Amino acid sequence: MSHAKQGRVFSGMQPSGEAHLGNYLGALRQWVELQETHECFFCVVDEHAITGEYSPSDLPGRVFDLAVSFLAVGLDPARSTIFVQSDVSEHVVLAWLFNAVAPVGELERMTQYKDKSTNLESIPVGLLNYPVLQTADILLYRADLVPVGEDQLQHLELSREIARRWNARFGEYFPEPQPVISRAGRILGLDGNAKMSKSLGNTVGILAEPEEIWERVRTAVTDPQRVRRTDPGRPEVCNVYSLHKFFTPPEELPDIAAQCRGATRGCVDCKRILSDHIAEHFAPIRERARDLKADPNQVREILDAGAEKARAEARETLEEVRERMGMRWRDLPILST
Ligand code: AMP
Ligand code: TRP
């Protein structure tokens, strides 16, 4: 690859359709910056999606919509390798090979696993194995940096553990991948407490039209103590204010906070301002998404080219891994012709 920059980056996102503000502030925005300085691989991880509830007939559309979001926010196929996980079958192969060293006890201790497996009558092995596939995603490209949200730190710790165990058993080869955590922290959902997440229905999509953004933002929970229009509010605990900090020009923030504290502006008006700024921020991104959706073949070609580049790297890694794990039986001298 042309730019051996400051190291290799890999990150993935599950295909739950169009990205939302949490994905954008917590991950995508940073991915776009990293491609300036690092050699980057960005992946729609559809093989992770099958470990939870999903509909096979919806999955292709969700993959496509997330790929459109990737490209619309500015991930650039000229600078990054952008692809779909299932197009590069080496991911599942390496995950299986890592099963030789991945510790069950630690997999069972993952909070995401515990959250997702409670209340299930029958737990699919894939749910337990999820972080092994995630480790394979990263190490297949020997990536040393992984930009993710805080919720993924535990998985990454396990990835390092798997890398260490594999290296100890088969010889030093894989880097121990380090997280790069976004400055944004965890973005709250519109309902104010849980994390913004598609499955909780508390998101604002980054490609939503202005009216739709308003429809969503209008329902946002604000300072719970500000019951009446005349009650003074507390911007420091208000969900809406926390979003203002990302989308409203910094010079307007002191006024917004003061008008909340002094109850001189109501929550609805305050949300309107936020909604307008969100709509404005994403206007060029919506525009690019419209063009991409009008030309789906262009998206397909980008993902195909990405998969091809990814595959070349992946094959090289797997070749080395197979060699070290003793899977080159044809090299036995008695078999050579
Ligand atoms: P997911 O949609 O859960 O696959 O998450 C994809 C990426 O977006 C991960 O790096 C997450 O950590 C990040 N992310 C998702 N939701 C949020 C949120 N509410 N706040 C911050 N980051 C998030
Ligand atoms: N588990 C990650 C999430 O839910 C998605 C993911 C899969 C990932 N493979 C990855 C993230 C590899 C970083 C690197 O957000």
Side-chain angles (χ1 to χ4, degrees):
M1 217 155 281
S2 56
H3 30 55
K5 298 177 173 173
Q6 295 171 26
R8 267 208 187 164
V9 165
F10 182 97
S11 199
M13 200 174 279
Q14 289 206 42
S16 41
E18 170 190 327
H20 56 69
L21 295 184
N23 297 140
Y24 177 75
L25 297 170
L28 292 176
R29 208 174 46 157
Q30 199 183 10
W31 298 7
V32 173
E33 284 171 18
L34 280 166
Q35 60 181 0
E36 303 299 329
T37 47
H38 291 73
E39 191 183 351
C40 294
F41 293 78
F42 297 118
C43 184
V44 178
V45 292
D46 55 345
E47 286 161 340
H48 279 97
I50 64 165
T51 61
E53 275 299 320
Y54 84 105
S55 145
S57 55
D58 287 350
L59 191 56
R62 288 171 179 242
V63 168
F64 178 81
D65 288 348
L66 185 60
V68 167
S69 291
F70 277 15
L71 298 169
V73 298
L75 294 187
D76 174 4
R79 274 178 281 187
S80 297
T81 303
I82 303 163
F83 66 106
V84 178
Q85 188 183 32
S86 63
D87 281 339
V88 182
S89 50
E90 283 79 2
H91 289 248
V92 287
V93 176
L94 186 59
W96 177 259
L97 297 175
F98 280 159
N99 278 337
V101 293
V104 171
E106 309 225 357
L107 288 168
E108 284 171 339
R109 275 195 285 282
M110 295 291 116
T111 47
Q112 184 173 307
Y113 169 72
K114 287 195 278 189
D115 290 348
K116 296 201 169 167
S117 61
T118 37
N119 304 327
L120 287 187
E121 204 175 303
S122 163
I123 302 168
V125 151
L127 207 52
L128 182 66
N129 244 324
Y130 181 111
V132 181
L133 180 58
Q134 179 162 349
T135 304
D137 294 340
I138 300 164
L139 295 184
L140 196 48
Y141 304 98
R142 284 154 281 144
D144 26 47
L145 293 175
V146 186
V148 281
E150 280 169 9
D151 57 328
Q152 295 299 311
L153 286 180
Q154 202 188 24
H155 283 168
L156 269 188
E157 211 170 292
L158 183 63
S159 295
R160 289 195 292 279
E161 175 71 23
I162 293 175
R164 274 194 295 275
R165 285 177 184 235
W166 193 94
N167 287 344
R169 173 88 176 77
F170 302 106
E172 208 55 43
Y173 178 57
F174 289 115
E176 290 180 25
Q178 304 298 324
V180 185
I181 297 293
S182 126
R183 310 179 284 288
R186 188 160 44 98
I187 305 302
L188 300 180
L190 293 180
D191 49 3
N193 35 54
K195 156 184 162 175
M196 183 175 282
S197 158
K198 194 88 162 206
S199 56
L200 297 169
N202 60 10
T203 63
V204 182
I206 64 169
L207 305 180
E209 292 298 330
E211 314 80 71
E212 206 181 327
I213 297 174
W214 172 236
E215 281 309 306
R216 303 289 303 150
V217 171
R218 202 164 56 93
T219 67
V221 167
T222 54
D223 176 1
Q225 277 182 27
R226 192 173 182 198
V227 184
R228 281 174 296 269
R229 165 78 169 77
T230 49
D231 294 338
R234 297 167 302 166
E236 61 282 1
V237 303
C238 178
N239 189 26
V240 168
Y241 188 72
S242 76
L243 287 173
H244 269 298
K245 288 198 235 162
F246 293 111
F247 296 105
T248 298
E251 62 277 14
E252 290 178 29
L253 289 175
D255 276 353
I256 302 230
Q259 284 159 342
C260 174
R261 285 200 186 92
T264 53
R265 178 185 279 135
C267 293
V268 176
D269 292 342
C270 182
K271 288 173 181 180
R272 184 82 235 187
I273 296 169
L274 172 63
S275 172
D276 289 346
H277 283 308
I278 295 176
E280 196 182 312
H281 180 93
F282 288 105
I285 292 174
R286 275 198 303 281
E287 183 75 33
R288 267 199 298 274
R290 251 195 302 271
D291 292 346
L292 290 160
K293 284 185 180 172
D295 185 8
N297 276 334
Q298 187 194 344
V299 177
R300 202 191 56 197
E301 280 164 21
I302 290 170
L303 295 176
D304 279 346
E308 196 162 326
K309 274 203 284 177
R311 233 177 268 127
E313 286 295 331
R315 285 199 180 132
E316 222 175 274
T317 302
L318 209 52
E319 192 63 17
E320 186 69 27
V321 167
R322 285 195 166 119
E323 160 102 42
R324 290 177 185 231
M325 291 184 80
M327 272 154 220
R328 295 265 289 264
W329 61 271
R330 280 189 182 76
D331 293 348
L332 208 60
I334 54 163
L335 292 172
S336 57
T337 51

